[in-house]
Every structure is written in structure tokens, then in C-alpha cells.
Amino acid sequence: MSCKPISIGMLLMAVATTASAEWSFSSGPNPNAFIQTGNMTLELQCDRIRFAPAGFEDSQDIVDKQGLSILFFKNGTTEVGAFQVSAENAALQIVDNYPVEVSFNSQQDYSFVLDQLAANASVNLSMIEQDVSYGSFDLQGSGAAIRSLRSACDSDASQGTSYEAPEGIVYCGGGAIKRVIEPVILDNPDGEWDARVTVNGEPIRAMTAYSYFGNSEPPAGFVVALLGEDRSEFLIFSEGSANWLEYGDYRYDQCN
């Protein structure tokens, strides 16, 4: 949580590439505040950030470097704060085949980031320790969206959400963050949401897709795809005695 000087080149880049869009809030099992442009998205969840830059190569670069500079500007040209994400204070990984997910080790660190996002005019996401920008976002309207997010997250934490345990296969595995994934097809669908996927205890409404993304020939063992309301994708496979699930870049094998 430190401030540092920034070059004129970086300032100009931040001004020139700041995304112009509106902040929104989405409630539900996984509340989030987000801003989306034609080719970039910044999504805030209860304990993590998801950033989809303009190109996959940027996502890969962030994860390869295991670092990201989050720079806050009060008027588009004056930096007033910064947070340096690294492997020491967060877990960085690519999820859903594209966005970078930053899961903070400390809720205090994440609260600082949310406070700065709510209070300032723009944010620049840049290469760690270098004046190279991955993208910038306008923060106008972020304060209201973040207040709604915090209220929803606090409500979930204090009240909890009770779900019956899924009756079926449980999948375990992952990379830097280990996950236990429990999908279930619902007997009584909630509108279009006819499935639920619980990831590390957090439920996500999902819809089933039995075709493999249009006309693509499904790989061996493909059973069903579960498309989460948070744009996550879970692919379920079964072949012989093997049952597994693919989520993001990782395979999760049956563990129950």
C-alpha cells in the first residue's frame, strides 16, 4: 500500500486508454460489481478481482510475472495511491480460459483496494515495476456499485446461505488454489438455471448445455457443460471408471 512516482509516458497512456463505461452491480449467490467495455472487463467480487485485458497475452504475462500494479488516479493525471499485487500477498491465475483472477490473502489489503477504487477517478492496471499499462478504467459510479457489493457480501457473511448437499460426484484439484467442485442438476429449475455448481462452498447458478459449443465435435467422454451465471464454464466428462471436470485450465478428478 505505497505510492510511487509515475512517468509522464505512463500518465499519457493512462489518460488515452481509460475505458469509458458505466459501473454495474449484480446480486445473487455471487455478488459482483463490474465495468465492461468492448474488449476489457474489471470485476470485483467479495474477496477477489477478475481482470480481462484486451488480449490473452496480457493475461499470460501477468500470471507469468505473478505481479500486477494497481494505480489509483484522482483526476486522470495525478496518482494518489498504489497497490502492488505479488505472489506474497495474493494468488494470481487465469480462470475461465481468459481473465486473470487476483485472490487476496488479506481482507485488509482488498479493503484498501476497494476504498481506493470507490474514492478516485480512474484506475490503471500495469506491469509490475514497469511503466507498461495493461489497461485503465473510469471509476465514475464505482462508489455506489462497491457499496452495494460490500452490503451484499456482509449480508452473506452474517446470514450465510443454506443449501442442501449435492447428491453426486465431487471433484477435487486445481493449481495454486485448490478447489472442491460439486455440480448438481436440479429437479426443480430456477427458470433457465437448471443446475448449481458449488466451488469451495460458494454456490453458482448454472444452465446445462449438452452440445459441445455449437457444432464442434465433442471430445471423448463429454457429458454436459454447466454455464455459470458469472460466465464460468464447467465441462463434465465420464469415460469408463474415470470421472472428471474441466474448469479454466485445470482438470478436477472425482474425489468422493
Side-chain angles (χ1 to χ4, degrees):
M1 286 180 276
S2 61
C3 297
K4 64 180 182 63
I6 187 167
S7 70
I8 295 298
M10 178 62 127
L11 293 178
L12 293 176
M13 191 179 303
V15 174
T17 62
T18 298
S20 178
E22 294 184 358
W23 279 84
S24 300
F25 169 72
S26 175
S27 59
N30 292 287
N32 61 85
F34 64 94
I35 184 171
Q36 186 172 16
T37 68
N39 59 1
M40 290 192 303
T41 302
L42 181 61
E43 179 183 309
L44 313 175
Q45 299 183 12
C46 289
D47 62 349
R48 67 198 62 197
I49 287 175
R50 285 189 173 184
F51 169 48
F56 175 77
E57 62 276 7
D58 287 339
S59 294
Q60 191 65 60
D61 189 58
I62 293 169
V63 172
D64 287 346
K65 289 181 170 61
Q66 283 295 292
L68 180 68
S69 291
I70 306 177
L71 311 176
F72 308 102
F73 295 83
K74 70 176 182 180
N75 57 14
T77 58
T78 303
E79 182 189 340
V80 293
F83 187 90
Q84 306 297 323
V85 176
S86 70
E88 296 180 356
N89 56 35
L92 296 94
Q93 64 174 339
I94 293 176
V95 296
D96 302 338
N97 300 316
Y98 185 47
V100 174
E101 181 178 87
V102 179
S103 299
F104 292 82
N105 296 340
S106 165
Q107 192 62 33
Q108 183 178 1
D109 286 346
Y110 189 37
S111 292
F112 169 80
V113 171
L114 291 180
D115 287 344
Q116 294 297 311
L117 290 171
N120 288 296
S122 64
V123 61
N124 184 278
L125 304 173
S126 67
M127 190 178 296
I128 191 80
E129 303 298 343
Q130 296 188 43
D131 291 348
V132 178
S133 175
Y134 296 115
S136 295
F137 293 89
D138 192 326
L139 294 177
Q140 183 175 358
S142 62
I146 290 172
R147 283 194 298 274
S148 297
L149 173 68
R150 280 175 151 160
S151 177
C153 294
D154 289 345
S155 176
D156 286 349
S158 61
Q159 298 178 12
T161 306
S162 177
Y163 292 91
E164 69 276 15
E167 298 179 359
I169 296 174
V170 178
Y171 304 87
C172 303
I177 299 177
K178 299 300 180 183
R179 293 185 174 90
V180 176
I181 302 176
E182 302 170 327
V184 61
I185 307 299
L186 301 176
D187 292 329
N188 299 302
D190 179 12
E192 63 182 346
W193 308 110
D194 59 349
R196 185 179 67 244
V197 184
T198 304
V199 181
N200 288 349
E202 296 185 7
I204 303 169
R205 293 190 303 177
M207 64 178 69
T208 56
Y210 290 92
S211 63
Y212 193 75
F213 303 108
N215 298 321
S216 299
E217 184 70 20
F222 173 74
V223 177
V224 64
L226 303 181
L227 310 178
E229 63 178 334
D230 61 350
R231 300 185 294 278
S232 55
E233 298 174 359
F234 305 85
L235 307 179
I236 297 176
F237 297 84
S238 179
E239 190 170 23
S241 60
N243 296 294
W244 72 96
L245 176 149
E246 293 181 1
Y247 171 51
D249 291 333
Y250 297 107
R251 168 173 167 153
Y252 299 79
D253 291 294
Q254 181 178 358
C255 56
N256 68 335

